[in-house]
Amino acid sequence: MQVLEIDFKDNSLAQALFGEHNSNLRLIEKIFPVEISAVGSRLQVEGIKEDLNQIHNLLQTLQELHKKGYKLTSFDIERAASILKENPSTRLEDIFDDKIYVSPRKKIITPKSLNQKRYIDAIRKHDIVFGIGPAGTGKTYLAMAMAVAALQKDEVRRIILTRPAVEAGEKLGFLPGDLMEKVNPYLRPLYDALNDMLELEKVKDYLAEDVIEVAPLAFMRGRTLNDSFVILDEAQNTTSEQMKMLLTRLGQKSKAVITGDVTQVDLPSDKVSGLIEGEKILKGIDGLAFVNFTDKDVVRHRLVQDIINAYDSKGKKKKRPS
């Protein structure tokens, strides 16, 4: 065993890094097999050399982020430690310094994992990107952030948000209202993400002017989507025909991001998921990218990752036809 000693010489910095009652240090201990003790601004870490090197890297990066004005949360520190544990060669600065500016009055959005960083980079570089993985990994939210940022920078003239209207395991029965009122429950998650990134009045204006269009997938048939940022959400519930239809709508100066979770298919058992099929037949096309997320990328409540693992280990979901 070896010992790493660090004196931050700044009580406010030490408090931000250590957390209340050293709670952040306890999080680091859960990820790395080390023992950490702190007195004032001084820190002592006992463990093997490889782990001490990673923790030294971690603390140095967090210190630099704090100096730049980054408000570190316990989640940030736990996530950073987990990233280094899984990928020791990762440059944490590349992840935490990557900022998506969606609105002057709203928060700046940053990736929270290595795969989220890869996803954002893929969207910047490619015209069509598939984000595939479990719930809570930020697939739709980050795609929405990139779309809003592209709109703000005049890279596109409109955003089109769509998803298939498929009942998720329960029968909803008769829904009152006109056609859009009937399908709005299926599109609610897209509105939620949008409202989180833009001021309410701005969202209303954009929707009224068709700068942002939120519509079920069936409305895309026969159209050519130029100068647009298209997001297809819940793509695991598209049929093969629907997936082909959406991808072939893409016009000039447009991007498309397709998101979905292949373990949450709600199609009838005799229907092939367009997302599952698309992943098999479209890989290798130039200008198109696939980014696969895992439970380690979950950024919701900490229990979500455990819940995903529990269901996966029990094999609750039936295999889909290939």
Side-chain angles (χ1 to χ4, degrees):
M1 288 290 185
Q2 298 185 18
V3 175
L4 169 67
E5 293 186 352
I6 303 175
D7 188 350
F8 293 98
K9 299 177 181 178
D10 180 342
N11 286 331
S12 63
L13 170 61
Q15 186 176 6
L17 295 182
F18 299 173
E20 188 175 356
H21 305 302
N22 295 335
S23 57
N24 292 340
L25 303 181
R26 304 289 80 84
L27 291 174
I28 295 173
E29 284 180 327
K30 286 183 178 180
I31 296 167
F32 288 94
V34 297
E35 291 185 7
I36 307 176
S37 57
V39 177
S41 63
R42 295 182 63 86
L43 196 67
Q44 186 177 85
V45 188
E46 184 177 350
I48 63 173
K49 182 179 179 180
E50 290 77 8
D51 290 332
L52 296 185
N53 288 340
Q54 293 299 340
I55 289 175
H56 186 262
N57 181 12
L58 169 67
L59 294 173
Q60 274 194 323
T61 303
L62 294 175
Q63 183 176 358
E64 290 303 314
L65 289 170
H66 179 79
K67 288 179 179 178
K68 291 178 182 178
Y70 194 104
K71 294 182 179 179
L72 293 167
T73 66
S74 296
F75 178 85
D76 291 327
I77 292 172
E78 182 177 19
R79 178 65 58 177
S82 297
I83 291 169
L84 278 184
K85 181 66 175 176
E86 293 292 323
N87 303 276
S89 61
T90 301
R91 279 175 45 86
L92 290 174
E93 305 95 310
D94 293 341
I95 297 175
F96 284 88
D97 280 342
D98 193 341
K99 299 177 176 65
I100 306 171
Y101 296 93
V102 294
S103 169
R105 298 182 185 179
K106 289 284 186 173
K107 61 187 177 183
I108 296 169
I109 296 169
T110 63
K112 301 296 185 183
S113 73
L114 187 56
N115 279 331
Q116 286 196 357
K117 169 64 175 169
R118 289 169 176 159
Y119 184 52
I120 290 171
D121 287 342
I123 294 172
R124 289 180 177 129
K125 184 179 179 182
H126 298 87
D127 287 337
I128 299 178
V129 174
F130 286 77
I132 302 174
T137 50
K139 305 181 299 296
T140 303
Y141 192 84
L142 288 174
M144 184 77 78
M146 294 295 287
V148 171
L151 183 66
Q152 304 286 38
K153 292 185 286 187
D154 293 323
E155 294 175 354
V156 296
R157 289 193 295 108
R158 57 181 174 165
I159 297 172
I160 297 174
L161 311 172
T162 186
R163 67 190 316 199
V166 176
E167 292 175 339
E170 61 275 343
K171 298 297 181 183
L172 299 180
F174 173 77
L175 293 174
D178 60 23
L179 183 58
M180 282 309 298
E181 288 172 329
K182 291 178 189 294
V183 299
N184 266 345
Y186 297 103
L187 305 171
R188 188 71 254 172
L190 298 176
Y191 285 110
D192 289 343
L194 199 55
N195 289 330
D196 196 40
M197 295 175 195
L198 292 171
E199 295 78 13
L200 183 60
E201 288 305 314
K202 196 69 172 176
V203 173
K204 288 181 179 178
D205 289 344
Y206 279 157
L207 290 170
E209 297 164 6
D210 278 339
V211 174
I212 296 178
E213 178 183 350
V214 185
L217 181 58
F219 282 26
M220 299 298 111
R221 191 171 297 279
R223 300 175 61 182
T224 300
L225 307 175
N226 292 317
D227 296 304
S228 302
F229 197 119
V230 183
I231 299 175
L232 170 59
D233 189 35
E234 296 290 323
Q236 75 276 5
N237 288 327
T238 62
T239 63
S240 177
E241 295 78 12
Q242 287 174 324
M243 178 63 74
K244 181 180 178 182
M245 179 271 291
L246 188 279
L247 293 176
T248 54
R249 298 307 92 204
L250 211 61
Q252 296 297 318
K253 299 180 182 178
S254 291
K255 280 182 176 285
V257 179
I258 293 88
T259 70
D261 177 1
V262 295
T263 70
Q264 298 287 336
V265 178
D266 297 306
L267 292 170
S269 58
D270 61 337
K271 291 287 187 180
V272 176
S273 166
L275 180 61
I276 293 175
E277 181 185 64
E279 187 176 14
K280 292 177 180 177
I281 67 176
L282 298 176
K283 280 189 174 179
I285 295 179
D286 189 36
L288 186 151
F290 286 83
V291 179
N292 293 94
F293 295 86
T294 72
D295 60 284
K296 292 182 174 60
D297 299 301
V298 171
V299 292
R300 290 181 182 167
H301 192 286
R302 64 175 183 82
L303 286 175
V304 173
Q305 187 177 110
D306 295 334
I307 290 168
I308 291 169
N309 287 335
Y311 273 99
D312 286 347
S313 66
K314 293 295 182 181
K316 291 290 185 181
K317 287 291 178 182
K318 295 180 180 178
K319 290 186 177 180
R320 304 295 305 176
S322 60

